[in-house]
Amino acid sequence: MANWKNNAFINQLIDLTETVWFNPDTLPFAEATKGIALSRADVEDAAARLERFRPYIEKVFPETEASEGMIESPLRHIPYMKSALSEYFRTQLSGELLLKCDSELPISGSIKARGGIYEVLNHAEKLALGAELLSESDDYSKLDSEEFKHFFSKHAIAVGSTGNLGLSIGIISAQLGFSVTVHMSADARQWKKDMLRSKGVHVIEYDSDYSTAVAEGRKQAATNPYCYFIDDENSVTLFLGYAVAAERLKQQLEEKNITVDADHPLFVYLPCGVGGGPGGVAFGLKLVFGDNVHCFFAEPTRSPAMLIGLYTGLHDAVSVQDFGIDNKTVADGLAVGRPSGFVGKTMQHMIDGTFTVSDDTMFKLLTMLTDSEGIKLEPSALAGMSGIVHMHNHREYIQQHNLQDTMPSATHIAWGTGGSMVPDEEMQKYYETGAALLKKT
Ligand SMILES: Cc1ncc(COP(=O)(O)O)c(C=O)c1O
């Protein structure tokens, strides 16, 4: 570690300077996937499982009636935000800017409704198939019954979380009938804990950060043979649940007549905490669009865990705290000090880069998005919003990939990872903080 402390790039992160990093180790997609155990077939298997559960989801979560039990979010053009960014950052921006509104995902209002709910469904299906209570050809709405609730009540589920994963897993687990415990880090917002408790979820609070909540959860779960621990730091199942988003995004782009090919590159900016959500989505996107999609993680300046892991190649053997960075950020969903080793190693030749964003910038972007488009996101979900600006200001990536001529026909997607369930009062405070910061600049 001592060697890295003299490294100029690491020092920039220690100084909490907003930083853009392009990954020097990316490989063409076909090569990058060679050492990876996961494939398109695994993502298709996850998508098929979610299909089987649609009748159940539609039945127990009426907000999914319109989508017939599919947990999916809209993709929206945000041209006024593009103009606002252009003006604020004084940069001419070409191409289209869209927002993937995972903030509007049904059931738990964040990207965590993808992987988190998927892993619980996967576990429930395995148990029910194993007990011969269910077969894959059944109408899964039968899971909404006293018989199944009684069966699942003999099993427990546990997870460690900064808030949104716990919300997703808690809600679906309680609905199925599991006994569920969520180990919440100090970052978790009070309303998320209150909401879970109101649904009968056992919430344990810690004074420390996410890594401690996960470690404690793992330890406690190990004492109960009927308890299934959802391991956000290492779970392949979570990762695959997120990856399903890609094929659906492809359909949404087609519906909007947006082409993605060598002449029409797609840039996607993903807020990153431990890495499972953004890693899974990026992996899925690379499977679908290959080298025509360019994926970037976005992290808070105070929690650049994945960036440090990727840059040093140390992955989960290093934490931001090792460098004296405090992991204290308003972006509670991204307040992770030690990245997932599984995600870092899986994505090390695939992820195109990472940039860091200060809390002040996230607040300002939050207010700008509300004013320009009337869309409200939580601070974490704004982390990727300045990606389009970086692509225009840091031309080396564009030049290296020979994308200069394609920039006018490029599509940029900021992944808006959460926010629709934030209570109005809390959202108003975020907005006012951003407005005050914008006034000063
Ligand atoms: C709103 C939001 N965005 C992004 C993330 C990042 O996901 P991950 O921790 O899987 O990297 C989270 C995680 O909780 C989140 O809550």
Side-chain angles (χ1 to χ4, degrees), residues 109-112 161-166 192 210 232 238 242 270-279 297-298 306 331-336 343 378-382 415-419:
S110 84
I111 187 172
K112 300 277 132 179
S161 171
T162 56
N164 283 332
L165 183 65
K192 294 180 185 173
Y210 163 86
D232 197 19
L238 276 176
Y242 296 117
L270 295 143
C272 181
V274 74
F297 290 155
M306 185 56 76
D332 44 297
L334 313 182
V336 173
V343 174
E378 61 188 273
S380 299
L382 272 305
W415 211 277
T417 47

Side-chain angles (χ1 to χ4, degrees), residues 149-402:
K149 283 192 175 158
H150 177 69
F151 171 68
F152 290 130
S153 71
K154 289 179 266 169
H155 297 268
I157 288 186
V159 67
S161 171
T162 56
N164 283 332
L165 183 65
L167 206 55
S168 305
I169 285 171
I171 293 172
I172 185 69
S173 301
Q175 180 65 46
L176 280 158
F178 286 106
S179 153
V180 52
T181 304
V182 176
H183 299 261
M184 286 291 203
S185 73
D187 310 281
R189 312 298 303 166
Q190 190 58 43
W191 67 267
K192 294 180 185 173
K193 297 183 263 196
D194 293 344
M195 183 180 283
L196 283 174
R197 288 191 172 118
S198 77
K199 293 180 190 294
V201 175
H202 186 208
V203 178
I204 301 181
E205 301 179 51
Y206 296 88
D207 280 340
S208 355
D209 81 351
Y210 163 86
S211 303
T212 308
V214 173
E216 281 301 313
R218 187 182 286 123
K219 205 161 70 185
Q220 289 189 22
T223 62
N224 175 0
Y226 291 96
C227 184
Y228 179 74
F229 179 67
I230 296 186
D231 189 345
D232 197 19
E233 292 180 321
N234 300 295
S235 171
V236 174
T237 311
L238 276 176
F239 190 82
L240 291 172
Y242 296 117
V244 171
E247 193 60 48
R248 297 177 180 176
L249 182 78
K250 180 173 179 247
Q251 274 178 31
Q252 290 180 321
L253 287 167
E254 283 168 5
E255 282 160 18
K256 291 188 182 304
N257 293 319
I258 295 174
T259 306
V260 179
D261 60 22
D263 297 324
H264 303 81
L266 174 64
F267 294 85
V268 181
Y269 312 107
L270 295 143
C272 181
V274 74
V281 171
F283 177 71
L285 289 170
K286 292 279 179 181
L287 280 172
V288 171
F289 298 111
D291 295 322
N292 296 323
V293 65
H294 305 266
C295 296
F296 296 86
F297 290 155
E299 294 186 295
T301 48
R302 303 182 90 124
S303 310
M306 185 56 76
L307 174 52
I308 291 184
L310 286 167
Y311 180 80
T312 58
L314 294 170
H315 302 295
D316 56 344
V318 70
S319 74
V320 301
Q321 289 93 339
D322 291 336
F323 294 99
I325 303 173
D326 64 6
N327 188 31
K328 292 210 186 323
T329 168
V330 65
D332 44 297
L334 313 182
V336 173
R338 187 181 297 278
S340 160
F342 154 64
V343 174
K345 287 169 203 163
T346 303
M347 299 307 291
Q348 63 187 337
H349 300 302
M350 248 184 263
I351 195 73
D352 295 292
T354 299
F355 53 90
T356 62
V357 190
S358 72
D359 283 11
D360 281 4
T361 301
M362 282 184 266
F363 275 130
K364 286 190 238 177
L365 292 169
L366 184 151
T367 301
M368 282 161 67
L369 185 66
T370 309
D371 288 344
S372 60
E373 302 280 351
I375 298 176
K376 296 176 182 180
L377 300 182
E378 61 188 273
S380 299
L382 272 305
M385 188 56 84
S386 49
I388 184 172
V389 180
H390 297 318
M391 283 306 125
H392 287 79
N393 284 344
H394 297 263
R395 303 294 293 188
E396 61 269 34
Y397 183 86
I398 302 302
Q399 278 156 11
Q400 208 184 346
H401 290 77
N402 255 325

